Amino acid sequence: MADLVERFVRNHRLADGEEYRMLLECLKEPAAAEYVRAEAVRIRKKYYGKNVYVRGLIEFTNYCKNNCFYCGIRRENHRAVRYRLSVEEILECCENGRKLGFRTFVLQGGEDPWFTDERLAELVRSVKGAFPDCALTLSVGERSFDSYRTLRKAGADRYLLRHETADEAHYGILHPADMSLSARKQCLYNLKKLGFQTGAGFMVGSPGQTYQNLASDLMFLKELQPEMAGIGPFIPHHDTGFAKEPPGSVELTIKLLSVIRILLPAVLLPATTALGTLAHDGRERGLAAGANVVMPNLSPKKNRKQYSLYDHKLCEGEEAAEGIRSLRRRIEAAGYQLSMERGDAAGF
Ligand code: SAM
């Protein structure tokens, strides 16, 4: 058992799914988990020093044509109060962020058909035109190769699209039949091909998830080689069919952050809002496990509660852009440095 952990730490990979599954079993042993955590921290330091990069998250639409079973803004949640920000409102969010020193904006939203390629590309051009020294990340779901190419040409730098689970059967538990893992994966390969810094990722503890599924997630990440990886615990939303499901484990999420840091040494790895929502010290524990990105919320205050993916989602205090000073204090107290650089992936 200890051999397997040692081999993973040395080679940054294992042979197959069964070995990854066994690695996760091994990490139930506190000494093994601590060994992997310390190694993850050493690697993060080698690539990024003490830097923790800040991304201003702008949740610009909660309209969604998809019906992912876990998500509070799914199409069939008729209780969700829908909103869509105007270009002016989005630029104002960026302006507020820029004043606070932010150099990356993440435009995230549901799959909102109102945002045709033309409208989205125009939005990208407006943001990049007004803030040329800032990186722009999009996170707007599955689109065609041509659509991604248009957005890339318009100036978008990065794209976040979690694969959610790399196991076909598990994908079917989380999504309706009109969505498929193969389409999701193809989008990720297209994004890589088009030169986006690409982010994949998954929820930890989503309904029906096994260690075997997580092993598939790790193998998929190793194969895709994304520049960013977003993982956070699943948290139930009261208006979904998963309302009564238990949330994912903070401890397991933290161990997986360390495993991913070792698997993909130069990856940009956020300590996510979901982690901060389930544990008051979730962000610090994520950073202490190898994470190096935080994403405070820059959306207009009036809309924050409406982007309700899961219950009790944090959007205040240090999770909000205006809480940046106190976020900086907390991050410095934990021994890191809040970086206001663009924070591209090392070696990209
Ligand atoms: N529509 C885009 C997409 O699908 O990539 C971006 C928005 S989507 C709401 C952002 C992420 O929220 C998803 O990738 C998913 O992992 C996460 N999410 C949704 N519901 C969640 C829940 N109940 N618990 C934790 N994370 C959730």
Side-chain angles (χ1 to χ4, degrees):
M1 286 288 246
D3 244 26
L4 184 84
V5 178
E6 188 57 45
R7 187 148 49 82
F8 173 64
V9 163
R10 207 172 338 108
N11 300 338
H12 297 185
R13 65 165 68 238
L14 288 169
D16 55 26
E18 180 51 18
E19 285 201 344
Y20 281 106
R21 193 194 61 75
M22 277 165 57
L23 173 71
L24 298 178
E25 291 288 349
C26 291
L27 296 183
K28 287 179 179 165
E29 175 60 49
E34 177 51 27
Y35 179 54
V36 163
R37 191 197 66 80
E39 184 61 15
V41 166
R42 191 189 67 74
I43 294 174
R44 197 258 325 276
K45 197 168 167 198
K46 179 172 161 201
Y47 283 83
Y48 293 104
K50 288 182 171 179
N51 282 347
V52 172
Y53 299 100
V54 193
R55 319 303 194 196
L57 179 63
I58 304 169
E59 297 159 335
F60 70 106
T61 174
N62 72 351
Y63 283 90
C64 193
K65 67 178 165 61
N66 285 340
N67 212 22
C68 309
F69 298 145
Y70 44 83
C71 186
I73 62 167
R74 62 200 287 260
R75 180 183 72 229
E76 281 177 12
N77 181 10
H78 301 295
R79 302 234 291 241
V81 180
R82 305 287 169 173
Y83 73 94
R84 180 183 295 127
L85 302 186
S86 66
V87 175
E88 291 69 34
E89 284 177 303
I90 295 170
L91 287 172
E92 202 180 311
C93 295
C94 296
E95 184 64 45
N96 292 339
R98 192 67 192 85
K99 279 190 200 139
L100 294 169
F102 289 38
R103 292 277 187 80
T104 291
F105 303 118
V106 180
L107 293 185
Q108 190 184 88
E111 291 199 19
D112 179 353
W114 191 87
F115 281 101
T116 57
D117 293 349
E118 233 166 87
R119 283 180 173 146
L120 207 48
E122 190 47 42
L123 173 62
V124 169
R125 277 191 291 272
S126 301
V127 173
K128 289 294 286 191
F131 306 95
D133 60 336
C134 295
L136 181 59
T137 306
L138 293 176
S139 178
V140 288
E142 295 179 21
R143 302 177 80 95
S144 68
F145 184 87
D146 285 350
S147 173
Y148 286 150
R149 185 172 47 201
T150 304
L151 298 172
R152 180 86 183 105
K153 276 194 179 157
D157 304 282
R158 308 179 187 144
Y159 204 104
L160 299 175
L161 181 74
R162 290 183 176 181
H163 62 278
E164 310 298 359
T165 170
D167 181 276
E168 201 83 57
H170 187 222
Y171 198 91
I173 295 177
L174 301 180
H175 301 95
D178 62 349
M179 293 179 73
S180 76
L181 177 59
S182 58
R184 198 85 175 168
K185 282 185 170 177
Q186 190 56 56
C187 285
L188 284 162
Y189 289 119
N190 291 346
L191 290 163
K192 286 278 288 184
K193 199 166 168 184
L194 287 162
F196 281 98
Q197 290 176 59
T198 303
F202 54 90
M203 288 175 290
V204 178
S206 57
Q209 185 180 66
T210 62
Y211 270 17
Q212 214 170 344
N213 297 155
L214 287 170
S216 303
D217 289 320
L218 296 173
M219 283 201 303
F220 175 63
L221 288 182
K222 191 68 181 173
E223 182 199 312
L224 178 70
Q225 292 283 314
E227 286 74 26
M228 309 175 284
I231 69 161
F234 159 77
I235 304 176
H237 185 286
H238 61 280
D239 282 329
T240 65
F242 292 152
K244 298 251 150 42
E245 295 288 333
S249 147
V250 169
E251 282 67 32
L252 182 57
T253 306
I254 283 167
K255 287 175 195 173
L256 283 160
L257 284 171
S258 297
V259 168
I260 292 172
R261 169 62 62 204
I262 296 172
L263 200 63
L264 304 168
V267 80
L268 291 161
L269 193 60
T272 54
T273 306
L275 191 57
T277 297
L278 280 193
H280 68 96
D281 56 351
R283 191 185 310 104
E284 282 87 348
R285 288 166 71 190
L287 296 176
N292 66 336
V293 172
V294 288
M295 297 172 72
N297 198 315
L298 256 185
S299 313
K301 279 190 192 156
K302 67 177 171 42
N303 299 111
R304 282 187 197 161
K305 290 262 183 268
Q306 293 165 330
Y307 199 80
S308 169
L309 307 181
Y310 47 81
D311 290 342
H312 313 299
K313 178 169 161 277
L314 283 190
C315 59
E316 282 167 357
E318 290 94 16
E319 211 52 42
E322 60 280 8
I324 187 85
R325 279 181 202 85
S326 123
L327 176 66
R328 182 185 294 281
R329 273 197 301 277
R330 273 178 73 163
I331 284 182
E332 287 176 357
Y336 309 95
Q337 191 177 320
L338 200 64
S339 167
M340 288 304 190
E341 292 161 23
R342 260 175 65 119
D344 290 298
F348 187 81

